[in-house]
Amino acid sequence: MSGPTELLLEVRGLAVHYGGIRAVKGLDLEVREGEVVCLIGANGAGKTTTLRALAGLAPSTGSIRYAGSEIAALPVHRRARLGIALVPEGRGIFPRLTVAENLDMGAYTRNDRVGISEDLERVYGLFPRLKERQAQTGGTLSGGEQQMLAIARALMGRPRLLLLDEPSMGLAPLAVEKIFETIRLIAAQGMTLLLVEQNARLALAASRRGYVLEGGRIVHQDQAPALLASPRVRAAYLGA
C-alpha cells in the first residue's frame, strides 16, 4: 500500500507569543495529503496553540504553506474557506441550537444544497446517535455525543485538512473508543488529519507519523510505530 505523497501542509519557523511568553518556538512540521499526523507532549507543550495558529485563531510568525500557497497572513475565515477545519479543545458546539442546526452551521460557507444534503446523510451514517437526537439541543447531549457533534459539524464544511484538538478529553472510555473508531474511519476515507491528543498511545495508534513537543519545540519526530516503541517516548508519555 502506497503512502501519501502530496505535501498539503508545510510549516516552517512557526512562533506564537502571548505577551512575553513564547508558547511555540520556531516549529517545523509537514502533513501530506491523506495522512494522519499527531502532536504529543505534556500539558503546556504548545500543542493546542499550534493548532490554533494553523487555523488562524492565534497570531503567529513564520511560514504556513497550505496546498502550495502561503496562508500565514490570511484571517481565520479565509483559511476555513480553503478547507482547514478545527475541532477545538472543549468541543465548542452551540449549546442552545439543535443537533441539526449545529450541523447546518458547519456548512455555512457552502451553497450546494444537494451536496450538503449528501454530507448530512454521511455524518449521520458516521454518528447514528446524532440522527436520533437531531432535534435535541447540543447542550443537553452527553460529552461523547457533543464530541461527535463537533467532528460532524466540521465535516459538514467538506474540509481538506481536519485539525482535531484533544478529542478524548473528559470522555468515558466507551465514548473515547467510539470517537477514535470514527477517526480511523474518516482517515480510511482519505481525510487528512492533524491530531493533538493527551493520550499519546491512542494518538500514535491512529496516526502514520508523530511529533513530540516539549516547551514549544519539536524534540523528536518519527513514524508512529517507531515512537510507540521508543524507550524515551514510552517513559515520558506512555506510562511505561
Side-chain angles (χ1 to χ4, degrees), residues 196-225:
V196 160
E197 172 56 55
Q198 189 65 34
N199 187 321
R201 192 181 305 277
L202 271 177
L204 290 168
S207 302
R208 179 182 291 270
R209 293 189 299 110
Y211 293 89
V212 180
L213 272 66
E214 290 181 6
R217 302 181 190 277
I218 290 174
V219 296
H220 194 28
Q221 59 178 294
D222 210 329
Q223 300 293 309

Side-chain angles (χ1 to χ4, degrees), residues 1-4 8 31-38 122 126-127 151 155 159-164 178-195 202-209:
M1 179 179 174
S2 60
L8 180 60
V31 182
R32 296 186 175 276
E33 189 90 50
E35 191 174 35
V36 182
V37 175
C38 65
R122 177 188 171 218
L126 286 169
F127 301 107
I151 295 173
L155 292 176
R160 191 172 174 186
L161 173 64
L162 188 60
L163 309 174
L164 282 176
K178 173 60 180 174
I179 291 296
F180 270 83
E181 176 185 316
T182 306
I183 288 171
R184 288 188 289 269
L185 180 57
I186 294 168
Q189 294 174 350
M191 178 65 67
T192 307
L193 294 106
L194 182 57
L195 168 66
L202 271 177
L204 290 168
S207 302
R208 179 182 291 270
R209 293 189 299 110

Side-chain angles (χ1 to χ4, degrees), residues 43-83:
N43 286 333
K47 307 184 300 299
T48 289
T49 299
T50 297
L51 290 195
R52 287 177 56 81
L54 296 177
L57 293 169
S60 65
T61 58
S63 172
I64 305 172
R65 292 189 63 81
Y66 169 77
S69 298
E70 180 62 53
I71 65 166
L74 294 184
V76 59
H77 69 277
R78 292 279 304 279
R79 300 189 202 194
R81 289 182 181 275
L82 288 173

Side-chain angles (χ1 to χ4, degrees), residues 110-130:
R110 302 171 57 184
N111 55 20
D112 56 321
R113 300 311 304 177
V114 173
I116 291 171
S117 179
E118 291 172 348
D119 286 344
L120 185 61
E121 288 308 307
R122 177 188 171 218
V123 299
Y124 280 152
L126 286 169
F127 301 107
R129 188 67 61 83
L130 295 183

